[in-house]
Amino acid sequence: MSYLFYCHGDNGSMLQAFTQALGEDELIQWLPDQSFDKAAVHAAIVWMPPEHFFDGLDNLEYVFALAAGVDQLIEHPGLRSEVTLVRLQDAGMGIQMAEYVLYGVLHAQRQFGLFRQQQADRNWTRGTGICPASEFPVSILGAGVLGLQVAARLHDNGYPVRCWSRTARQLPPGIIGEVGEQGLPSLLANSRVLVCLLPLTDETTGLLNSSLFGQLPRGAFLINVARGAHLVDEDLLAALDNQQLSGALLDVFHTEPLPPEHPFWNHPQILVTPHEAANSDVKHSVEQVVRSIRQLQRGEVPVGVVDRTRGY
Ligand code: NDP
Ligand code: OXD
């Protein structure tokens, strides 16, 4: 079987690792205007494929996403809905995501945003007291592969943690779960920091808006590491202006790279990072995809098959 490969931003290491791991199977690197036997391609391995990537791939059965989130693939106009989509699970991202979120939570809890502004003004004013982690609750929207690892790290660091999911989940001891729309108000009311780790779906697009911010305690801090389209940008700016929120750490944006004229770049209460909260690791990604390929060849169902009806 032939596998068509495209990984945006790959420096060659992902391509080389897949070529070695697939052995007998042919890996074709997708290049613009390159001719190859499209009929022989039954599977593709991709991250951010270009617009015409899927053109003419009439026998395509499987797409392996080199990412945890598959919103861009689900929305890709060239990808037929009957093609089975398999995503990465963790692949080294859980640990990195937990570190990133912990940094943001510490930033909020220890008032580093305030001290950063004071430093700019050479202003030596001591804080209003240090709130212990045990009195600084953090909530995570999403109790999936990454959300649960973030939750465990924050819990280990002494923060009370709540997680929100669509369906009831078995959670590790000490972590409170809230489910569905009815569970959201009490989670929000108990959040000094709100972390978004949801997949982008019809239900979750634009969820981080004025109405949701209004249900958080005054002065709460937002961390968005999921997708830019979860956030209504103007509503965040308004919530910072009226001090409903004290700050935000954002890794993902409606348009990436974040356009130079975007107000987030210069906002004193917003920290911007370039979609770097967590990167999939080459070794784990290749092992996981090749394991899934072999499972499918044996007629088994691999982990990470996307349910298109729920959108993740
Ligand atoms: P999972 O699919 O494992 O987890 C998703 C979680 O969200 C599940 O708990 C799910 O609920 C919950 N959920 C989905 N829809 C709803 C809803 N409508 N209401 C309430 N809860 C909902 O995903 P991962 O943890 O692997 O990844 C999460 C996202 O993180 C990715 O989709 C991607 O967008 C983002 N990401 C960002 C990275 C970065 O560098 N910034 C890197 C990697 C991922 P249930 O448990 O009931 O299914
Ligand atoms: C992902 C990402 O979804 O990097 O894996 O955003």
Side-chain angles (χ1 to χ4, degrees):
M1 192 193 291
S2 297
Y3 293 85
L4 190 59
F5 176 88
Y6 180 88
C7 179
H8 180 79
D10 181 35
N11 60 8
S13 55
M14 200 65 109
L15 177 68
Q16 194 186 3
F18 270 113
T19 307
Q20 275 169 10
L22 283 170
E24 304 278 283
D25 295 315
E26 186 192 13
L27 189 73
I28 304 167
Q29 183 185 13
W30 189 92
L31 295 167
D33 305 324
Q34 187 200 0
S35 68
F36 56 92
D37 181 7
K38 293 192 171 183
V41 174
H42 289 261
I45 302 169
V46 298
W47 167 233
M48 291 176 70
E51 194 186 341
H52 296 292
F53 180 89
F54 296 106
D55 291 0
L57 299 181
D58 297 335
N59 295 326
L60 191 69
E61 290 174 83
Y62 303 105
V63 169
F64 299 92
L66 294 171
V70 288
D71 43 288
Q72 287 153 337
L73 280 168
I74 288 179
E75 283 162 19
H76 196 295
L79 183 58
R80 287 176 285 111
S81 59
E82 62 273 20
V83 173
T84 301
L85 203 46
V86 186
R87 72 179 189 105
L88 287 181
Q89 293 208 333
D90 190 346
M93 291 184 275
I95 289 175
Q96 299 168 43
M97 193 59 92
E99 288 168 354
Y100 182 100
V101 172
L102 179 59
Y103 175 91
V105 170
L106 283 165
H107 176 94
Q109 181 220 340
R110 298 302 305 266
Q111 299 184 284
F112 281 110
L114 172 69
F115 297 138
R116 188 162 152 254
Q117 282 175 40
Q118 287 189 184
Q119 184 178 346
D121 300 336
R122 295 167 192 259
N123 170 4
W124 184 280
T125 304
R126 299 190 69 206
T128 49
I130 297 170
C131 179
S134 59
E135 293 170 26
F136 202 80
V138 182
S139 295
I140 303 164
L141 301 177
V145 174
L146 300 178
L148 287 182
Q149 290 189 67
V150 171
R153 176 65 74 89
L154 294 174
H155 181 257
D156 288 350
N157 278 268
Y159 297 97
V161 182
R162 284 180 164 73
C163 284
W164 189 56
S165 55
R166 203 175 51 85
T167 57
R169 312 244 343 179
Q170 181 78 29
L171 297 175
I175 301 196
I176 299 172
E178 300 285 4
V179 181
E181 265 177 46
Q182 69 285 7
L184 193 55
S186 73
L187 175 134
L188 294 174
N190 285 290
S191 312
R192 296 289 295 271
V193 178
L194 184 71
V195 181
C196 181
L197 254 171
L198 291 166
L200 186 67
T201 65
D202 291 346
E203 285 76 46
T204 65
T205 299
L207 185 75
L208 304 175
N209 59 29
S210 295
S211 151
L212 178 141
F213 298 149
Q215 297 174 64
L216 292 165
R218 196 159 175 78
F221 188 87
L222 175 71
I223 301 178
N224 187 17
V225 276
R227 287 292 182 260
H230 285 121
L231 176 65
V232 179
D233 292 1
E234 309 77 54
D235 289 7
L236 171 61
L237 293 169
L240 292 169
D241 276 355
N242 66 29
Q243 288 153 36
Q244 175 58 20
L245 294 185
S246 60
L249 169 59
L250 307 176
D251 187 51
V252 286
F253 304 90
H254 283 266
T255 304
E256 296 182 4
L258 184 63
E261 67 282 4
H262 198 287
F264 287 171
W265 279 117
N266 286 331
H267 198 290
Q269 286 142 281
I270 296 179
L271 297 169
V272 168
T273 55
H275 202 139
E276 275 275 312
N279 290 329
S280 57
D281 147 286
V282 173
K283 181 172 172 285
H284 286 105
S285 303
V286 173
E287 277 172 11
Q288 202 174 112
V289 171
V290 173
R291 187 166 55 241
S292 298
I293 287 172
R294 302 298 174 225
Q295 285 172 316
L296 283 163
Q297 286 170 343
R298 292 195 296 268
E300 297 164 15
V301 180
V303 294
V305 173
V306 173
D307 177 345
R308 283 186 180 250
T309 54
R310 57 175 205 183
Y312 67 100

